[in-house]
Amino acid sequence: MSALFTPLNLRSLEIPNRVWMSPMCMYSAAPHGPGAGVPTDFHLTHLAGRAAGGAGLVMAEATGVRPDGRISPWDLGLWNDRQQEAFTRIAAAIASHGSVPGIQLAHAG
Ligand SMILES: Cc1cc2nc3c(=O)[nH]c(=O)nc-3n(C[C@H](O)[C@H](O)[C@H](O)COP(=O)(O)O)c2cc1C
């Protein structure tokens, strides 16, 4: 417990504490169409809210690198620019609270 609120250094990355949010699929992204896999305001609030609460690292859910690599059709994706831009906004919001953004890249077989 004594180390819980002390920084952890991984090479050049400093994570301000050891209270981390694990990746959790929210099944809340659009499954089809131009918004497929794109993080929404729900995802922004869900992830950045934990950073605002003090988590040192916030991991985005298992995120498919291809449409057919998602665990479910409602998972996030990172295979196009629209998704990348939405993730960039979320990463910036997390970082604005002094937390480290992370992502679990996934390719379900
Ligand atoms: C709703 C939900 C979604 C989850 N999604 C993922 C996921 O996307 N990737 C993953 O590795 N684990 C996922 N998990 C597992 C959690 O990241 C975590 O490992 C698990 O809840 C155990 O946490 P604990 O050891 O703190 O109890 C999910 C868990 C829950 C409850």
Side-chain angles (χ1 to χ4, degrees), residues 51-72:
L57 180 143
V58 177
M59 290 281 290
E61 68 185 52
T63 299
V65 296
R66 290 168 36 140
D68 61 356
R70 288 171 292 178
I71 295 169
S72 90

Side-chain angles (χ1 to χ4, degrees), residues 7-103:
L8 179 72
N9 293 291
L10 299 171
R11 297 191 179 172
S12 62
L13 179 69
E14 180 171 296
I15 303 174
N17 61 52
R18 288 96 186 293
V19 181
W20 299 1
M21 179 173 164
S22 64
M24 286 181 281
C25 287
M26 293 288 102
Y27 312 108
S28 298
H32 309 295
V38 177
T40 65
D41 284 352
F42 164 79
H43 298 95
L44 172 72
T45 304
H46 173 66
L47 295 164
R50 299 310 180 282
L57 180 143
V58 177
M59 290 281 290
E61 68 185 52
T63 299
V65 296
R66 290 168 36 140
D68 61 356
R70 288 171 292 178
I71 295 169
S72 90
W74 300 274
D75 291 339
L76 294 176
L78 189 48
W79 64 80
N80 65 38
D81 289 349
R82 187 167 168 184
Q83 295 158 344
Q84 180 256 304
E85 287 163 14
F87 269 114
T88 297
R89 179 173 168 238
I90 290 174
I94 292 169
S96 75
H97 293 289
S99 179
V100 174
I103 188 169

